[in-house]
Amino acid sequence: MLSPNDKKLEKLDPFYRPSVSEQKTSAEIISEARNALRTVRTQRPFTPREDQRKLFGRASSRTPENRPPSSFSVHASSFESSDSRPIFGTRLSPLELKPKTPASPATEEDPCPSFPKPPVDPTKTRRISSARARLLRAASQGALLPDMTLPPAQPKRVESKETVTMGDSVVKIHGIYLTESNAIGHLSHPPQLTYDGDFGEIKEQEIFKGAASLPSHLRSGRDQGKRHSGASLCSRSSDRSRLDTKTDSKLDLQEKDTEIEVGEVFWNTRIVPILRELEKEENIETVCAACTQLHHALEEGNMLGSKFKRRSILLKTLYKLVDVGSDLLSLKLAKIILALKVSGKNLLNVCKLIFKISRSEKNDSLIQNDGILESLLEVLRSEELQANTEAFLYCMGVIKFISGNPGFLHEMIGKGAVEILMNLMTQINENTKESGTCLPNSGHLLVQMTATLRNLVDSPLARSKLLSISALPQLCTVMGQYIGDKEVCTNVARIFSKVTTYHDCCVALANYSRCYALFLNLINKYQKKQDLVVRIVFILGNLTAKNNQAREQFSKEKGSIPTLLSLFHTFYKLDLHSQKPLGEGEERPKAPRPAQAEDVLIKLTRVLANLAIHPSVGPAIAAHPRIVGLLLAMLESKSIDDCEELVINTTAAINNLSYYQVKNSIIQDKKLYVAELLLKLLVSHNMGGILEAVRVFGNLSQDHDICDFIVQKNVHKFMIALLDAKHQDICFSACGVLLNLTVDKGKRVILKEGGGIKKLVDCLRDFGPTDWQLACLVCKTLWNFSENITSASSCFGDEAANTLLVLLSSFLDEELALNGSFDQDLKNYHKLHWETEFKPVAQQLLNRIQRHHTFLEPLPVPSF
């Protein structure tokens, strides 16, 4: 007579319980590996490394006529000398000279009238004009500045480095001391200079010759004296505020003129000597060192940018040196040229120059040491996209090349490369949306940008930045707007292939609901383009691996299942045609990677296996005759020795479909045929294939006909032998099949074959303390087996009965021992089920054994 508790256990659950639709905890998701429905893993599609650095690789869909060249020459003559200042759209009209009669002081706003100036000395005018003519002739002949022979003057060194005084005014800017003899910048004699710098002592020079060469406020001390004396005759009732304002404006002008004077001095004392050194072109090392000095000096003198008035002289000198042909020198020249903010054709040519150098990997160290990356990023950040698309193309080409070098990743990401590229991509998306058409050359540029991002996302920091600026939807937008550009779509797919292997990025893309329709459109458009399709399918496999909402959203998209079926059929045929029959004695070589068609099938079966986990999608696929037919045909035609991953993925998909016990299931209708196909996997030497086959038998063995098949084909002996595998997952699955067999009273005796009882007890001893699920299965199997027990010794054997008594007693008194690192949620999950799932079954089994066991000697205490 059974107790009420024993009667409860008489009604055994099937090996695999139906899944519930409740939201799973993190611990339950982690433990999903033990459930009947399993997700499938696969490798990311292989991307071969390009053997040459080009804008577009060998597999490019662009013809040579329809793409910018990667090979070209850049010479000094390629640059335009007119790029000396920003170009404005309107031309200024000349000013007309209109003589004006001085008004009377009573009607003039200014109560201080101006007095006429004495005429300029004609000899001084001729001297100034002849000096300017010599300067122009020298510039036209290629000289930088005319040689000046200046009379020596006694230098006057000013000790204070920061003092600016009235009277004998002292100014030091960038190491140059300017001394003025009169207050507020009024000079009675030429300024005297001393230079405290890196290029040696500069002798005193009369920088400004004649009154006409001085700034306006320094031109004539006598005139200023006359104006002051005239001002003393003015009415004292004048408006003091207006006078103060004019005084302030004069001071501002004087300060500006002083800055101009200092700039002139800095140019002559610091820049000119370096430029003359560059003109000598004695050797590369000297010229490169001079370029470095020039860049530092220009930066120190605030002479970089597009507003410096002598910019054209600098650029002409730098352009001439391009023809020297040194990569190191060209990089230094390019850095200065970019810092001078060239535009138009010159910006394009300097980007081409750097691109040409960067095509050789041996120059990566030069690029890194010279810091040219920051200059290139500044071009992308500050220049106008639409006006400089071609320059941006070659600039991005350089960044793409060096992004493939792991040594650049940290620097590029740290300097904001991810944000800059995504900002450009957003501009392109917005411009395309506004114009309704793809802008010229924007597709070429996007190929370089997306290829660069593909390299950058190898870094966790880059992926974090992409998430923080919501970049994944922007990338989807690029795919949608440039769906006709296969290279752009392929590069974006490569980015997604990488980032979706990480949980946070995978969740972010899965939550962007528009991506599913986009991916289906791409599959339909490029169905026979393996390199793109295999990545799209891989991405879908990642999205549907751990996200039930993603499975549901994808399955609800119009034409989702038919699209997958069509793709399956296409590549199944391609794979059949690619298999050439072998001659006698020939062996098929072991390929390091799957063939192209096979790789698509591997990723596709993974998607089907993942979709089948959803409770509404799985039964629909299981009832689809064409999908199930293709899966079974592939399982029949493929050998696990030749196509390991494909066979294992196909078996996993069949396992998930076999979970659903529905009337119209094709798997259930063909269950015996499926069981026959699984036999060749059981006898293989591949443990992955054996494990998947046993799992399918675990689902199918709930059917009486399959149990008969297992006994007839001696599959049960194989399951008992697998208990010795010392592999928890294999023992778990094999024990599940044996549990389903013991539901049938007539088949319980098979556990005594091959030492089945002893092996079950060994599994309980070896894995029970750390694996409550396996321990629970073993106890349920032994409970079924001992239903009609009269003696524990005759049922289990003396040794097994004694061991069970000791093991079960100790388990009931202890907590679950967890090996390895587990988070707190997972620990709580396992401990809860140890108490609620395992211990009740263990207690009932222990009670049964104790009631039917005779203790002849003290039981030993086991050691774990």
Side-chain angles (χ1 to χ4, degrees), residues 577-781:
H577 293 155
S578 66
Q579 298 296 326
K580 298 179 180 179
L582 298 176
E584 290 188 17
E586 292 183 357
E587 293 185 2
R588 192 175 301 279
K590 186 71 174 179
R593 292 186 300 274
Q596 291 184 347
E598 181 184 327
D599 202 19
V600 175
L601 294 174
I602 289 171
K603 274 59 177 179
L604 187 55
T605 52
R606 175 182 178 234
V607 174
L608 292 173
N610 292 347
L611 289 175
I613 297 175
H614 195 278
S616 62
V617 181
I621 297 177
H624 202 298
R626 292 185 63 191
I627 294 179
V628 175
L630 285 171
L631 289 171
L632 296 179
M634 199 149 51
L635 189 60
E636 182 179 16
S637 62
K638 296 294 182 180
S639 166
I640 195 168
D641 295 329
D642 298 331
C643 311
E644 177 181 1
E645 190 175 2
L646 178 58
V647 171
I648 291 177
N649 284 8
T650 302
T651 310
I654 293 173
N655 171 55
N656 288 355
L657 296 176
S658 66
Y659 171 80
Y660 299 101
Q661 307 290 325
V662 291
K663 293 181 180 180
N664 57 348
S665 170
I666 307 299
I667 297 290
Q668 295 300 323
D669 291 344
K670 297 185 176 183
K671 54 184 178 292
L672 291 175
Y673 174 61
V674 174
E676 288 283 355
L677 294 177
L678 295 175
L679 288 180
K680 67 178 183 178
L681 287 180
L682 288 179
V683 298
S684 69
H685 298 289
N686 188 296
M687 292 305 294
I690 292 172
L691 177 58
E692 290 301 332
V694 173
R695 284 172 175 153
V696 180
F697 273 116
N699 280 339
L700 297 180
S701 60
Q702 297 178 62
D703 183 87
H704 181 74
D705 293 337
I706 295 297
C707 289
D708 292 340
F709 174 88
I710 290 173
V711 175
Q712 291 171 7
K713 300 292 183 178
N714 291 320
V715 176
H716 66 283
K717 295 181 179 179
F718 193 81
M719 299 297 168
I720 292 173
L722 288 176
L723 296 177
D724 282 333
K726 303 303 179 183
H727 187 290
Q728 283 181 256
D729 285 341
I730 291 179
C731 291
F732 178 84
S733 300
C735 187
V737 176
L738 295 175
L739 170 61
N740 288 340
L741 289 176
T742 57
V743 174
D744 187 342
K745 296 180 180 180
K747 296 182 176 62
R748 291 172 182 170
V749 68
I750 64 174
L751 287 185
K752 290 192 173 183
E753 300 179 18
I757 296 298
K758 182 180 182 303
K759 291 179 180 179
L760 285 171
V761 175
D762 288 344
C763 282
L764 183 63
R765 181 193 60 212
D766 295 338
F767 303 122
T770 59
D771 192 337
W772 67 267
Q773 293 171 306
L774 177 54
C776 196
L777 279 184
V778 171
C779 289
K780 284 186 175 182
T781 304

Side-chain angles (χ1 to χ4, degrees), residues 178-355:
L178 175 64
T179 305
E180 304 176 47
S181 62
N182 291 334
I184 320 177
H186 299 291
L187 300 181
S188 59
H189 57 80
Q192 299 172 348
L193 304 175
T194 58
Y195 171 65
D196 182 14
D198 300 330
F199 298 95
E201 183 177 355
I202 304 298
K203 293 184 177 181
E204 303 83 357
Q205 299 177 4
E206 186 181 350
I207 301 301
F208 307 102
K209 287 190 175 182
S213 64
L214 292 174
S216 59
H217 73 288
L218 304 174
R219 191 167 295 155
S220 173
R222 292 171 298 175
D223 292 346
Q224 302 230 9
K226 290 180 181 180
R227 282 197 295 271
H228 282 296
S229 63
S232 63
L233 300 176
C234 296
S235 172
R236 295 184 179 272
S237 60
S238 62
D239 187 356
R240 289 185 176 273
S241 62
R242 185 178 301 275
L243 184 59
D244 291 341
T245 302
K246 290 189 176 184
T247 303
D248 292 340
S249 64
K250 287 181 180 180
L251 289 174
D252 292 340
L253 289 173
Q254 290 164 359
E255 289 177 3
K256 185 179 295 185
D257 288 341
T258 302
E259 291 178 4
I260 293 174
E261 293 168 14
V262 173
E264 295 283 342
V265 173
F266 188 89
W267 169 265
N268 290 317
T269 57
R270 293 290 301 275
I271 306 301
V272 170
I274 302 176
L275 294 181
R276 286 174 178 163
E277 189 70 26
L278 289 175
E279 284 193 326
K280 295 178 182 179
E281 300 183 14
E282 294 178 352
N283 60 71
I284 297 299
E285 292 182 359
T286 304
V287 177
C288 289
C291 283
T292 302
Q293 293 175 349
L294 176 62
H295 190 276
H296 291 162
L298 291 173
E299 187 175 19
E300 183 183 349
N302 197 24
M303 295 178 177
L304 297 174
S306 60
K307 296 182 179 180
F308 181 51
K309 66 178 181 179
R310 286 193 170 94
R311 179 167 166 267
S312 59
I313 298 176
L314 285 170
L315 290 174
K316 286 179 182 179
T317 305
L318 299 175
Y319 293 157
K320 289 179 184 178
L321 295 173
V322 171
D323 287 338
V324 173
S326 165
D327 289 343
L328 176 59
L329 176 59
S330 295
L331 285 176
K332 292 184 177 295
L333 295 172
K335 187 175 182 180
I336 302 175
I337 294 171
L338 288 178
L340 291 171
K341 299 295 182 183
V342 294
S343 59
K345 184 178 179 181
N346 290 340
L347 178 60
L348 170 60
N349 283 322
V350 72
C351 290
K352 281 186 171 183
L353 179 63
I354 304 172
F355 176 88

